[in-house]
Amino acid sequence: MSSFAPKEYQGRVLESVRKYFEACNSLGNANTAFYQLTGELWGRHQPFNPLPGFSRDMPYFCLRVPTGGGKTFLAARSVALVNTHLLRSEHSVVLWLVPSDAIREQTLKALRQLNHPYRHALKQAGAITVIDLDEAKSITRATLDTSTVVIVSTVQAFRRDKTDGLKVYQSSGALMQHFDGLASAQRENLLRDEDGTTPYSLANVLRLRRPFLIVDEAHNARTDISFATFERFNPSGVMELTATPDTEKVPSNVLHSVGAAELKTAQMIKLPVLLEAEPDWQQCLADAIARRDELQKLADDEHRKGAPYLRPLVLIQSEPRRQGMETLDAERVKKELAENQRIPPDEIVVATGEERGLEAIDAKYPLGIADPGCPVKFVITQKALAEGWDCPFAYILVGLSAQQSGTAVEQLIGRVLRQPDAKARSTAALNQSYAFIRSNDFARVANELRDGLVRGAGFERKDVNQFVAAQKPGQAGMDFGGRAKIVFKQVAVALPKKPAIPDALKDKVLWDKGSKTLTITAPLSETEAEEIAQAAPDAAVRGAILQAAEASRTTAIEPFQTPAETGERLRVPQLALYQQGELQLFDDAEVLEYPWALSDYQAAPTADDLSALGLASRVAGGGTIDVSAEGQVKVGFLPDLQRDLGLSYMPEHWDETRLAAWLCRNLLEPSLTHASKQAFVSAWLRALLDTEGFNLARANQLKFTLRKLLDENIRRLRRDAVKRAYQQALFGEGREQRVSVSDKFLFEFDPQGYAPSRDYDPRKSEYGSWDFRKHFHGRIGDFDSKEEFECAVQLDMLAQAGRIRYWVRNLVNRGGGSFHLQKATGRFYPDFVCALNDGKILVVEYKGAQGWTDAQDDREIGGLWAELSGGTCRFAMVRNRQWGDIEGKLA
């Protein structure tokens, strides 16, 4: 895959964005579009939360992407989607807002660099101009008319109480040209000074052009001042990107959430984080150095075999300097490295508020700290590295603070997660991150590190358990939070009086006043036990508490490991197709050979096309029309937007030939020659222009709608051709010579790549509660119906009875957790995959009474897959709770 092409999960994110924009226009309301689309994407409708001070139907959504997920790349690729599917305009203005000057400079540099992946992503929108705020203050009308203009700025730069921000709202002679020949509707919508005059300001230029807002690190821009600033631009829509969206105070509309497991599967991040807790700070540092040396040897071995250059870095978080106190400050840590660990001075750099060694490195080496000529291996910092600093060479985090906490490391943990070159190395140790924390309480540190991954890196809580593990086998037994499941037997101890129980431990310890018994309901770490025992009246009581706490960590625990945790591998044979004599994985129906020529089809608008254009002619761009209480007609946000864009970006008056050429050039279908497209488009456009009530002026005005209709027509015709080829290749005579199912192509459920968009929670499920004991993973994807849940219970009961080895809830379109069978259009993701005792595979799909009728193609491809496997695979489609159909396949 090209470094410029989206990863699979990024493609899913962008598809969600495209669908949202299209739904906004087809439904005419961003509010309804969000509600309906989240139900379609994730099986659960989410309410739409409008931004304070904005229209309730302004397009507004958030992409939740953890650290290392490529937020900037996704934002850049989304610009083309904004133009094509939301604004339906060839050009636009995009206001790209970031939280700091450091990130602004970093973003500007990347978007302007012609060979950078971000620039290539941006170029999908056509002609692009990338500028900063100072350059925007003198932008010409011609630039706005002929390119998509991306203005990169901080939010703070637009605040009226700042000198630079004030200039945005003041008249400028350089901008007068933008205000010539304005329609009255445009003038009425401009900002005015206190004296009532309309300034020729950049703010008013932006209001005329209805900019689309991209808000990076959006969790930093949730204040009333920020929202008021956004409102002044009169935006066409707002897209937020963040790892940690606001879900409480002013909730973001999370359209698509990316899980850490997806990033791991896509080779974007290094997981798990292998943790060591060591109370001696010098030993902690020495262990980290030894680990770096091991990683360097592995990296050098790979480099000799052709892998890219890699120099693993250690990030060391020192203590702040305190007057009159001895601390492990940056200077002392540097001295320890140089004198006791024999690290050469040029391999150490200090990056604190007082000493900015990384800036000197960036100035000296072309590729900064990642440059092969740079000798640095150790970076000493204090609180956090400079915002925006990013180096995938960072592998090891060392936390030396005596008061270490998840909060202290959360700002740094994200810096060691990124995978170099976004590509997994051949050595497993180079695909993991490492943390060495000064502490004698492994369990506490492990849980605090997980908290840091949630708060700092944006991981979902349900993801983090599997992504922090012990480096030392002896510490693994102390990590209760990392286990998918444990069976715990409560420990009771009689005491003469109630001990002092800290608030933080009241959910783990209960006191019964009548029996004077302390009951431990969850494992207590050594530190937690000490917190309770320290106030004991005598040594005997103290000893009894500590002994009971030790039992809670040892004899009271019945270890439980899922098949994935024990090292089982769940592999499923896939459909393969002979292509030019060679067997290839069949995961795209487009690879089939099929006759495909537009000349075979009639080129004319369908009744649906004419209906769509009729609606568009009455309310441009879709949208709703309402009547206020006073009897005034109110037009919705999107029609207003299309009117404003039509006034700012006046449609060119092309003749029929030029319009046909533009449509042809901008059609998305890649499988056709230009000549075949040209003939079809010209004939289709001529037929449209011959239709009563439609003329060339209207066609110019609606050229983006025409392009969409043409594209849908051509895709429909191509799908029909693919369906015929699919039926012939897979179900026609002699199919055994064309299609195969064998162990040559196997789908493997990734032990760390299972990331449901919704988890089954027995405490909250509307379908019922069941203690699933035989699921392949610790997490279980939620069910879509009560019958589907009951089917899973049947499978788990069969597994517990020894009839099935284990099973997994198959996910839809979630990478390493999703087995599928290719259909002519789309993919079939069956509900469950079961490993049988004899090594065979059983796939089960449940259908309710209504779903059965529409599932003929699913039954056909599932049956074919089982038939071609030669008995290795079995397929059951169950309906109406006929569980005997499953047992029949086990015979």
Side-chain angles (χ1 to χ4, degrees):
M1 179 183 288
S2 164
S3 62
F4 303 137
K7 295 273 190 175
E8 187 176 332
Y9 77 90
Q10 291 173 329
R12 293 194 290 269
V13 175
L14 294 168
E15 181 66 5
S16 294
V17 174
R18 181 190 67 80
K19 285 183 174 180
Y20 178 59
F21 288 158
E22 289 194 342
C24 286
N25 277 306
S26 63
L27 297 171
N29 187 298
N31 185 327
T32 308
F34 183 83
Y35 182 81
Q36 290 196 7
L37 186 58
T38 51
E40 174 191 326
L41 292 173
W42 314 119
R44 189 160 295 177
H45 298 287
Q46 297 297 325
F48 181 84
N49 302 295
L51 271 178
F54 288 84
S55 166
R56 289 191 59 83
D57 56 350
M58 180 191 75
Y60 161 54
F61 64 97
C62 174
L63 302 180
R64 182 187 182 280
V65 185
T67 296
K71 290 190 289 291
T72 308
F73 177 83
L74 288 169
R77 284 288 292 226
S78 295
V79 172
L81 302 178
V82 170
N83 288 0
T84 303
H85 300 288
L86 176 64
L87 305 182
R88 296 177 176 177
S89 174
E90 196 159 2
H91 307 304
S92 67
V93 173
V94 174
L95 197 50
W96 191 309
L97 301 173
V98 298
S100 68
D101 285 329
I103 294 180
R104 178 184 61 82
E105 292 172 9
Q106 186 183 58
T107 304
L108 271 170
K109 181 179 179 182
L111 293 179
R112 285 170 164 169
Q113 192 175 326
L114 296 182
N115 62 347
H116 197 285
Y118 296 169
R119 179 70 181 199
H120 279 261
L122 206 53
K123 281 167 59 179
Q124 302 295 313
I128 290 290
T129 302
V130 178
I131 58 177
D132 61 21
L133 189 56
D134 284 338
E135 293 165 323
K137 292 170 185 174
S138 58
I139 193 166
T140 66
R141 189 168 184 168
T143 301
L144 293 176
D145 286 342
T146 57
S147 67
T148 290
V149 176
V150 179
I151 304 171
V152 182
S153 173
T154 62
V155 178
Q156 303 90 294
F158 286 94
R159 287 177 53 175
R160 282 184 177 271
D161 58 347
K162 302 289 184 181
T163 303
D164 288 343
L166 193 58
K167 293 178 181 177
V168 172
Y169 303 95
Q170 293 175 340
S171 272
S172 167
L175 299 175
M176 288 179 64
Q177 57 188 297
H178 297 275
F179 300 89
D180 293 337
L182 295 183
S184 59
Q186 290 175 292
R187 289 195 176 277
E188 290 171 4
N189 200 32
L190 297 178
L191 297 173
R192 289 176 171 78
D193 288 336
E194 292 181 357
D195 61 3
T197 60
T198 302
Y200 300 139
S201 64
L202 177 59
N204 273 334
V205 172
L206 292 175
R207 286 182 71 85
L208 288 171
R209 296 287 173 159
R210 302 297 301 272
F212 186 85
L213 269 55
I214 293 176
V215 187
D216 191 14
E217 303 292 354
H219 58 280
N220 292 319
R222 309 298 295 170
T223 65
D224 292 341
I225 293 176
S226 296
F227 297 140
T229 300
F230 297 166
E231 194 276 331
R232 292 190 192 110
F233 307 139
N234 195 21
S236 57
V238 177
M239 177 174 77
E240 298 177 337
L241 296 109
T242 178
T244 53
D246 184 356
T247 58
E248 296 178 1
K249 187 179 178 182
V250 186
S252 292
N253 294 324
V254 180
L255 176 70
H256 196 116
S257 181
V258 177
E262 293 179 88
L263 302 188
K264 170 68 175 176
T265 300
Q267 304 176 11
M268 295 290 284
I269 54 178
K270 308 188 291 284
L271 288 173
V273 179
L274 297 183
L275 172 65
E276 176 185 317
E278 168 55 56
D280 184 294
W281 74 274
Q282 289 170 307
Q283 186 61 51
C284 186
L285 199 54
D287 289 350
I289 293 169
R291 175 66 72 179
R292 201 216 73 83
D293 291 343
E294 292 171 12
L295 296 178
Q296 186 66 70
K297 184 177 183 304
L298 295 171
D300 291 344
D301 289 343
E302 286 196 8
H303 189 47
R304 282 190 287 271
K305 297 174 184 176
Y309 169 78
L310 172 61
R311 176 175 19 90
L313 298 176
V314 180
L315 303 186
I316 305 171
Q317 189 170 45
S318 62
E319 294 182 319
R321 184 181 297 135
R322 292 189 178 92
Q323 191 170 2
M325 291 181 61
E326 188 174 307
T327 61
L328 298 179
D329 57 49
E331 203 54 45
R332 188 174 178 197
V333 173
K334 183 177 181 181
K335 184 178 180 181
E336 170 68 19
L337 289 174
E339 295 183 1
N340 293 335
Q341 303 297 337
R342 304 295 183 188
I343 304 297
D346 63 348
E347 295 183 2
I348 307 168
V349 66
V350 177
T352 63
E354 300 172 355
E355 193 169 344
R356 303 181 180 276
L358 286 174
E359 294 181 10
I361 294 293
D362 289 340
K364 185 174 182 180
Y365 298 99
L367 299 178
I369 203 167
D371 196 287
C374 177
V376 171
K377 298 173 183 174
F378 301 88
V379 178
I380 304 172
T381 185
Q382 186 176 300
K383 290 184 178 179
L385 294 169
E387 197 167 21
W389 186 85
D390 177 34
C391 181
F393 282 12
Y395 267 77
I396 299 170
L397 171 64
V398 180
L400 295 181
S401 172
Q403 302 299 319
Q404 198 62 249
S405 67
T407 303
V409 300
E410 71 181 51
Q411 295 172 312
L412 281 175
I413 188 63
R415 306 302 178 94
V416 299
L417 294 179
R418 297 179 192 270
Q419 180 77 48
D421 305 308
K423 185 177 181 182
R425 312 286 291 206
S426 58
T427 308
L430 294 173
N431 299 324
Q432 300 167 333
S433 304
Y434 301 86
F436 294 81
I437 306 297
R438 180 189 173 195
S439 175
N440 61 359
D441 189 340
F442 180 89
R444 180 179 65 82
V445 170
N447 286 327
E448 287 174 345
L449 187 56
R450 292 187 179 97
D451 290 342
L453 287 171
V454 172
R455 291 194 303 259
F459 287 17
E460 292 189 65
R461 177 65 61 181
K462 58 194 177 185
D463 278 341
V464 296
N465 283 352
Q466 62 182 320
F467 290 137
V468 175
Q471 292 192 54
K472 293 181 176 180
Q475 294 187 339
M478 308 175 195
D479 185 19
F480 310 113
R483 301 182 189 177
K485 193 171 188 177
I486 64 171
V487 178
F488 182 76
K489 299 175 183 177
Q490 295 184 351
V491 179
V493 56
L495 298 175
K497 59 181 288 189
K498 179 183 178 181
I501 301 173
D503 289 342
L505 297 179
K506 286 182 178 178
D507 59 341
K508 290 187 173 186
V509 177
L510 298 176
W511 173 256
D512 185 277
K513 185 178 180 180
S515 63
K516 293 188 175 181
T517 301
L518 184 75
T519 302
I520 302 174
T521 61
L524 290 178
S525 69
E526 292 181 23
T527 301
E528 290 170 335
E530 285 287 352
E531 289 179 26
I532 298 174
Q534 65 184 355
D538 54 52
V541 174
R542 173 183 167 81
I545 294 173
L546 293 179
Q547 186 177 1
E550 184 179 358
S552 78
R553 297 190 297 272
T554 53
T555 57
I557 294 173
E558 178 188 327
F560 178 91
Q561 286 188 298
T562 64
E565 289 172 327
T566 61
E568 291 277 355
R569 304 180 74 174
L570 180 51
R571 295 169 166 175
V572 187
Q574 295 175 283
L575 274 170
L577 187 75
Y578 283 99
Q579 290 282 89
Q580 300 178 339
E582 183 179 345
L583 197 62
Q584 297 179 2
L585 178 66
F586 180 51
D587 64 349
D588 184 359
E590 293 290 338
V591 302
L592 295 169
E593 295 181 7
Y594 56 93
W596 171 229
L598 278 177
S599 57
D600 296 338
Y601 301 94
Q602 181 181 4
T606 65
D608 286 343
D609 294 340
L610 296 175
S611 174
L613 289 167
L615 289 171
S617 66
R618 289 196 293 275
V619 182
T624 55
I625 294 181
D626 197 4
V627 179
S628 70
E630 294 76 24
Q632 295 179 322
V633 175
K634 299 187 299 182
V635 180
F637 179 91
L638 290 166
D640 269 346
L641 173 62
Q642 290 297 325
R643 180 205 64 192
D644 290 348
L645 292 173
L647 292 171
S648 293
Y649 297 94
M650 295 294 290
E652 297 182 66
H653 298 293
W654 292 338
D655 60 22
E656 184 178 341
T657 302
R658 192 174 176 192
L659 180 58
W662 181 90
L663 290 168
C664 213
R665 209 168 47 245
N666 286 277
L667 284 176
L668 306 177
E669 178 53 56
S671 65
L672 296 170
T673 64
H674 179 74
S676 64
K677 280 196 290 187
Q678 190 172 37
F680 184 89
V681 169
S682 297
W684 189 92
L685 182 59
R686 170 56 14 221
L688 176 63
L689 293 174
D690 287 341
T691 303
E692 184 179 354
F694 207 86
N695 55 36
L696 189 59
R698 193 70 177 139
N700 270 282
Q701 187 178 9
L702 295 175
K703 64 181 180 181
F704 279 88
T705 303
L706 299 187
R707 183 182 77 172
K708 179 175 180 287
L709 294 174
L710 271 166
D711 192 54
E712 289 172 349
N713 272 278
I714 292 172
R715 278 190 289 174
R716 174 177 52 80
L717 296 174
R718 192 190 73 241
R719 281 197 304 268
D720 290 344
V722 171
K723 283 181 183 177
R724 291 191 293 271
Y726 173 86
Q727 285 297 126
Q728 174 57 34
L730 273 73
F731 299 98
E733 189 175 343
R735 63 189 180 194
E736 293 82 2
Q737 280 72 52
R738 296 187 294 271
V739 194
S740 169
V741 175
S742 70
D743 59 4
K744 184 169 183 181
F745 292 97
L746 295 169
F747 173 83
E748 181 169 359
F749 282 88
D750 188 338
Q752 294 182 335
Y754 189 80
S757 59
R758 294 180 292 119
D759 283 67
Y760 170 72
D761 185 340
R763 297 166 299 177
K764 302 176 182 177
S765 176
E766 60 187 292
Y767 306 128
S769 177
W770 182 263
D771 181 19
F772 290 107
R773 302 299 296 267
K774 292 292 185 178
H775 191 259
F776 183 66
H777 297 282
R779 296 172 64 184
I780 302 176
D782 203 1
F783 307 102
D784 297 326
S785 67
K786 185 172 180 60
E787 292 93 338
E788 204 174 80
F789 162 73
E790 291 172 0
C791 187
V793 171
Q794 292 296 320
L795 295 176
D796 205 63
M797 291 171 62
L798 287 168
Q800 292 190 45
R803 305 284 306 282
I804 290 174
R805 198 167 166 201
Y806 49 81
W807 61 280
V808 68
R809 169 73 161 110
N810 193 42
L811 306 178
V812 175
N813 201 20
R814 299 293 282 182
S818 305
F819 166 73
H820 73 270
L821 296 170
Q822 184 65 45
K823 300 192 294 184
T825 55
R827 293 173 169 180
F828 169 39
Y829 294 91
D831 293 327
F832 308 103
V833 177
C834 310
L836 305 184
N837 295 321
D838 57 4
K840 293 181 172 59
I841 295 293
L842 169 64
V843 162
V844 178
E845 171 74 4
Y846 186 86
K847 289 294 181 188
Q850 294 180 332
W852 181 268
T853 307
D854 301 328
Q856 181 63 34
D857 54 348
D858 293 347
R859 285 196 295 278
E860 288 178 351
I861 192 63
L864 177 68
W865 169 77
E867 177 188 331
L868 294 177
S869 73
T872 300
C873 305
R874 303 169 190 179
F875 176 74
M877 183 174 282
V878 183
R879 65 171 170 171
N880 298 334
R881 298 183 173 89
Q882 295 175 1
W883 311 127
D885 292 351
I886 298 175
E887 299 219 25
K889 296 296 180 179
L890 301 178

